[in-house]
Amino acid sequence: MLKHDVVIVGAGLAGLRACVELRKKGIDAIIVSKVYPTRSHSGAAQGGVNAAFDENDSWESHFFDTVKGSDYLGDQDAIEILTSEAPANILELQRMGVVFNRNDLGGIAQRPFGGQSFPRSCYYADAVGHMMLHGLFDNVLKYKTKILYEYFVTSLVVDNGKISGVVAYDIKTGKFEGIAAKAVLFATGGYGQVYSSNTNALINTGDGMAVSIKAGVPLMDMEFVQFHPTTLKSTGILVTEGARGEGAYLLNSLGVRFMSKYAPKAMELAPRDVVARAEQTEINEGRGVDGAILLDVRHLGKERIMERLPQIMQLSIDFEGVNPIYEPIPIRPGMHYSMGGIKTDYNGRTAIEGYYSAGESACVSVHGANRLGGNSLLDTVVFGRRAGIDITEYLKDAAFAKFDESLIKRDEEIFEKLKKSNGKERHGLLKAELQEEMRANVGVFREEKAMKKAVKKIEELKERAKNIGVDDKSKLFNTDIVEAFEFSNILLIAEVIANGAILRKESRGAHYRNDYPERDDENWLKHTLATLGDNGNIKFDFSEVSITKFKPQPRTY
Ligand SMILES: Cc1cc2nc3c(=O)[nH]c(=O)nc-3n(C[C@H](O)[C@H](O)[C@H](O)COP(=O)(O)OP(=O)(O)OC[C@H]3O[C@@H](n4cnc5c(N)ncnc54)[C@H](O)[C@@H]3O)c2cc1C
């Protein structure tokens, strides 16, 4: 069994940022990741990271935009921290070696993003995540951090409400291992694979959230799923909001910039929930182009497209067969981001002592019912750093709790059983059925009947999942088994999302119900907290929203 003071699960931006904070103080913190760190999904982030730098901008304005963007469900104490600490965090990244595009005065260049009243998204062409991830990884290497990669975490180990460590499966050798720790941080990212047509990597299977709810940690606001307005029609690959930030138009089949109808002031730069619904309405009402909308960047000119949006240009050519310099890009809304997650406070603490979460796996909550573009990368660094600082304090009095080694055996047996099974079901096919069900029935527009159908389908898939067989019976690098286990995680997360969405009888941010089209502050200005009951069913509780400065108002753009 391994033993370290801190185990950080996840090597995306949140995990790496926390790690730097711990390692620079010489703390014995290790990283565990199911992929090599630079393959973490943060590397796919394209458009930008927000901070108010300009003398005509202010963090207070960023604060208000984020509260309004969240449809007043975001906790204002946490959003104040996010936005007021943003500039210092970005400058610190720069000192660590992260490069951003420059403006004419030599400062960090900033572009407009949806729902923001000032151009405050710092960028590196259309590959900001790649730059940030590699920059932070360099720093983690500089501090000679131990990294267990291709290690898949299957369980948290808890003793009397206190964290004891994790159970992990070494994908390379096929062996299970216990890792004892005084503190554990989950920075395990989102659950994009719950939906078909998503912008996420195959590894985004909500493992951290599933493992947490199984260990008794509440998941907060899971019904809020972000659908990004611009994903390539055929593949769901993202086209950054930065394209609209640079001035791209959205056109329907009549060649009309239809956003004038839905958000006359903000137009294409309205928040994502508003734009995604507008597009879907145009498509549903017959003004789409083969089930898509057109994103037009031609008027920006070849030079600007090649300088600011080179990745988007290449992705459109490679995956859609369209060169945006000459033709508009067919796009449609696709699942993108998880607003909900493991409930934490603004230092990353959860309901279990010594157990933390940060980044997309966590719900602080700074995004509420709808995240603004550019605020997620910011969330990873601000709250990754804060978690690192809080863990440092926590360690001063912390000791190793008792580690129940029978849990290693338990998880080993689950994998062995899967390996031996000759069941007729295949996880890949079940996953495709689940994803399509969630897209169709718990998507951009929702209503009770369709969502109940999705819950029934999930029940059916849970039964059929008992009969999953894997074809690969080998010990080394058996990704067939890992994927079967990941499927059980996304199935559980889908169940939480669908039930939470049925429960919330209002429309707020990304959660839009045809049968309850209005926001209902009287009954629903509250967070949902999902846990598992003794019978394995999802139970819901509620908690208050922190409202410090801005009383809820009607949200128009
Ligand atoms: C295509 C795309 C573009 C985006 N662009 C932007 C943008 O421009 N601006 C913005 O603000 N946001 C953007 N976002 C959102 C943002 O990139 C993510 O929310 C953020 O990077 C998530 O970082 P993270 O550190 O929380 O998780 P991730 O980067 O997803 O990392 C998760 C880590 O957890 C590990 N892990 C997961 N499960 C396990 C397990 N069971 N065992 C061991 N390890 C595990 C993985 O190996 C990985 O290292 C974008 C998202 C996408 C999909």
Side-chain angles (χ1 to χ4, degrees), residues 448-459:
E448 180 135 341
K449 200 167 156 211
M451 290 191 287
K452 284 197 163 153
K453 186 174 159 283
V455 169
K456 224 168 149 199
K457 179 73 182 181
I458 291 168
E459 288 303 325

Side-chain angles (χ1 to χ4, degrees), residues 94 100-109:
Q94 196 171 241
F100 295 100
N101 273 42
R102 314 314 293 184
N103 60 28
D104 291 344
L105 300 172
I108 295 176

Side-chain angles (χ1 to χ4, degrees), residues 48-50 113-116 121 226 241 272 371-376:
V49 52
N50 299 331
F113 248 51
Q116 304 279 357
S121 230
Q226 179 158 82
E241 192 164 288
R272 291 174 178 173
R371 169 174 78 85
L372 293 186
N375 270 355
S376 169

Side-chain angles (χ1 to χ4, degrees), residues 9-15 32-37 39-50 113 128 133 151-154 187-190 199-201 203-208 211 238 240 272 336-337 358-361 371-378 380 489:
V9 183
L13 286 171
V32 180
S33 172
K34 67 179 176 178
V35 295
Y36 190 73
R39 284 188 57 218
S40 300
H41 199 55
S42 290
Q46 297 175 348
V49 52
N50 299 331
F113 248 51
V128 70
L133 189 68
Y151 263 69
F152 183 80
V153 169
T154 49
T188 45
T199 62
N200 284 208
I203 57 171
N204 287 13
T205 48
D207 301 340
V211 166
L238 185 77
T240 175
R272 291 174 178 173
H336 182 59
Y337 182 79
E360 195 170 337
S361 57
R371 169 174 78 85
L372 293 186
N375 270 355
S376 169
L377 294 180
L378 182 61
T380 64
N489 287 338

